[in-house]
Amino acid sequence: MDRFVQLTAYVAVAEEESFARAARRLNMSAPALTRTIAALEQSLGVKLLNRTTRFVRPTDAGLRYLDDARQILARMQEADDAVVGINAAPRGHLTMTAPVLFGKMFVMPQLVSYLQTYPDMQVSALFLDRVVNMLEEGVEVGVRIGELADSSMRAIRVGSIRRVLCASPQYLAQHGTPQTPADLAQHQIIAATGVGTNTEWKFAHKGEPLSMRVKPRLTVSTNDAAICAVSMHAGIARLLSYQVAQELQQGSLQTVMTDYEPAPWPVHVVHREGRGGSARVRSLVDHLVQGLRQQTALQTAD
């Protein structure tokens, strides 16, 4: 049996955690898919999937094989794209990731226009407030906010955003406005793990770095929830400037301690394109870079 077909089938089942969903994704019958996976496991002499009545998940060996299978399929796609030619219209499927609110506000409009421009492309967008391991999770393009760790990813900077402290005017009228980081000890702090789990907040004043360990009164798992809480006068939160731009403009929230803001965080489009190049990856990266660079909310002076 064609090993390419087997690898494609295995990756689909492992990612979908279901033979039925994988069969629909591949447009093949469930029995044929089951036979394909069985033939792959038999040829390898290794059990790749644990099957129960409720789910299908890779074994430890299957997880390692999944990473290799994804890379092999990606390289084969790159080889196909390269031989077809750099000017060929992109076609096929790719997966990208971005933070939740950033994805909703800035990436989604670009994806819609991208799909309108390239009708033969399909995109899966993972909007998550965590750093996705793109290699392990089969993601080809990502938008990252913050300083990049050393990696094999290629990165293109598209802008920067501020980290701001904000509160409602009602809260500040009742509790006062903090003037320095030390004043935060007297305030109710709302921490969003989407911005970072570290409770040691970094500041800068007249070129000098400062830090303050805060004790959150309320910790929430999403930036949306933090914005909701601070809008309900529950305290002071540190958020990213684009996330509260509308509230700041309307006056329902206001920034505090702007003289102590740390340096803005860079925003990059990152990708793991291989040596042969990929029309699919290049086209989406170029589209995102051009569109995001036009967003005034990302052009913070730094």
Side-chain angles (χ1 to χ4, degrees), residues 26 28-29 43 68 71 73 75 124 139 149 156 180 183 187 210 263 265 276 300:
L26 299 175
M28 64 187 301
S29 69
S43 67
D68 291 336
Q71 293 183 54
L73 293 175
R75 291 297 301 273
S124 294
V139 178
I156 304 172
T180 69
D183 294 341
H187 284 269
L210 302 169
W265 269 345
T300 304

Side-chain angles (χ1 to χ4, degrees), residues 91-102:
R91 63 177 62 243
H93 175 272
L94 58 77
T95 303
M96 67 85 56
T97 185
V100 175
L101 283 180
F102 191 96

Side-chain angles (χ1 to χ4, degrees), residues 51-78:
R51 304 163 175 83
T52 73
T53 56
R54 292 183 299 169
F55 62 79
V56 178
R57 290 183 185 155
T59 62
D60 289 342
L63 286 172
R64 292 192 295 271
Y65 194 70
L66 179 60
D67 290 340
D68 291 336
R70 283 170 169 160
Q71 293 183 54
I72 290 168
L73 293 175
R75 291 297 301 273
M76 293 180 71
Q77 182 65 60
E78 290 171 2

Side-chain angles (χ1 to χ4, degrees), residues 158-228:
V158 294
S160 60
I161 53 176
R162 297 162 52 208
R163 287 168 283 174
V164 299
L165 293 181
C166 59
S168 70
Q170 292 92 327
Y171 172 86
L172 296 175
Q174 181 178 355
H175 298 277
T177 301
Q179 303 298 319
T180 69
D183 294 341
L184 295 175
Q186 308 303 317
H187 284 269
Q188 300 183 64
I189 301 300
I190 301 166
T193 56
V195 177
T197 57
N198 193 345
T199 56
E200 185 175 357
W201 286 0
K202 304 295 183 182
F203 300 95
H205 186 59
K206 297 181 179 179
E208 294 295 324
L210 302 169
S211 64
M212 173 71 183
R213 187 167 295 279
V214 297
K215 294 182 179 180
R217 181 85 186 278
L218 173 64
T219 301
V220 294
S221 60
T222 68
N223 299 316
D224 266 332
I227 295 170
C228 180

